[in-house]
Amino acid sequence: MRQSMRIGRPLLAAAAAPAFTTLDTPSRCEGWFSGGGCPTAKPVKVQTPTPSDIAISQAVPLTPVKQVFRKTFNLRDEDLFSFGPYKGKLSLQVYDRLKDQPDGHYVVVCGINPTPLGEGKSTTTVGLSQALGAHLGQKVLTCIRQPSMGPTFGIKGGAAGGGYSQCVPMEEFNLHMTGDIHAITAAHNLFAAAIDTRYYHENTSTAAGIWKRLVPQDKSGKRQ
């Protein structure tokens, strides 16, 4: 008996309860090529010894993000906000438009200890998605967090996966993506500055001093 794990409607997967399902018959993605496999997948020519992550990333011919979502998930161009040709954000209206579609399955890659070669959660997650999408012909969407600058420039390094199982363009994913991490950084800095200023003034000012500054004397020495 052949069993397979069905991954369907990935855009709704995050809203569905985590679940694993086994089917008696193999599941294929409706509307995909009869030969199976992801329509935007590209063959990989494995080299020995394995090149560096950056070399692999820069050697990959990229597919425009709108083409990926249009061919693979039948989304419209207006469903995506592009940040350059290869990055973008999905509109929240996509969920409302597809809310009546059957939910998919949410597969979680839990925290693991990396191997000496560096294969960790991201590499495992991307590799699993490649296996399900490019080789087993399932509709699959990989969801991993956006890296922050501290770990990227620290001992940990980037968070795009590694080797032939990584997100591309790797440099933009690690350093900027759509700018959200920078917006969060700016918000944290603003909040920290506001707290510091409030703390400073409350510890260096008196009620009398504040009153004199807020209600200064006029030329006759009166405060009104």
Side-chain angles (χ1 to χ4, degrees), residues 52 83 108 125 138 195:
S52 64
F83 287 76
V108 180
T125 301
Q138 304 293 330
I195 292 176

Side-chain angles (χ1 to χ4, degrees), residues 78-79 81 90-99:
E78 57 267 26
D79 292 333
F81 301 102
L90 288 177
S91 170
L92 294 178
Q93 296 178 353
V94 175
Y95 178 80
D96 295 330
R97 182 163 61 84
L98 301 179
K99 62 183 179 181

Side-chain angles (χ1 to χ4, degrees), residues 61 64 98 102 110 145 166 182 184 192 197 220:
L98 301 179
C110 301
R145 64 164 178 78
Q166 61 173 302
H182 305 307
I184 294 172
T197 301
S220 62

Side-chain angles (χ1 to χ4, degrees), residues 23-82:
L23 305 176
D24 293 340
T25 57
S27 170
R28 307 298 294 178
C29 291
E30 299 82 4
W32 279 21
F33 301 148
S34 58
C38 175
T40 57
K42 294 182 172 65
V44 175
K45 184 177 180 180
V46 179
Q47 300 181 29
T48 303
T50 303
S52 64
D53 290 348
I54 186 67
I56 294 174
S57 173
Q58 294 181 344
V60 174
L62 300 178
T63 302
V65 66
K66 285 190 175 182
Q67 182 180 340
V68 171
F69 281 97
R70 185 168 56 247
K71 281 189 174 183
T72 309
F73 302 110
N74 298 321
L75 294 184
R76 309 166 184 168
D77 286 348
E78 57 267 26
D79 292 333
L80 188 74
F81 301 102
S82 295

Side-chain angles (χ1 to χ4, degrees), residues 85-140:
Y86 307 115
K87 299 179 296 183
K89 291 182 181 179
L90 288 177
S91 170
L92 294 178
Q93 296 178 353
V94 175
Y95 178 80
D96 295 330
R97 182 163 61 84
L98 301 179
K99 62 183 179 181
D100 295 327
Q101 298 291 339
D103 289 342
H105 297 288
Y106 194 43
V107 181
V108 180
V109 176
C110 301
I112 61 174
N113 292 325
T115 71
L117 296 178
E119 299 94 335
K121 301 182 296 299
S122 299
T123 306
T124 301
T125 301
V126 175
L128 176 63
S129 297
Q130 290 173 323
L132 290 170
H135 296 279
L136 298 181
Q138 304 293 330
K139 282 190 177 181
V140 58

Side-chain angles (χ1 to χ4, degrees), residues 192-206 213:
I195 292 176
D196 287 344
T197 301
R198 179 66 178 266
Y199 183 81
Y200 170 79
H201 285 302
E202 287 187 354
N203 283 275
T204 58
S205 301
T206 62
R213 286 194 295 271

Side-chain angles (χ1 to χ4, degrees), residues 122-177:
S122 299
T123 306
T124 301
T125 301
V126 175
L128 176 63
S129 297
Q130 290 173 323
L132 290 170
H135 296 279
L136 298 181
Q138 304 293 330
K139 282 190 177 181
V140 58
L141 194 66
T142 307
C143 181
I144 59 178
R145 64 164 178 78
Q146 183 176 340
S148 58
M149 297 299 97
T152 297
F153 286 93
I155 193 173
K156 176 185 175 295
Y164 292 106
S165 295
Q166 61 173 302
C167 298
V168 291
M170 181 260 281
E171 314 96 291
E172 295 186 32
F173 177 78
N174 277 322
L175 298 179
H176 182 74
M177 197 59 174

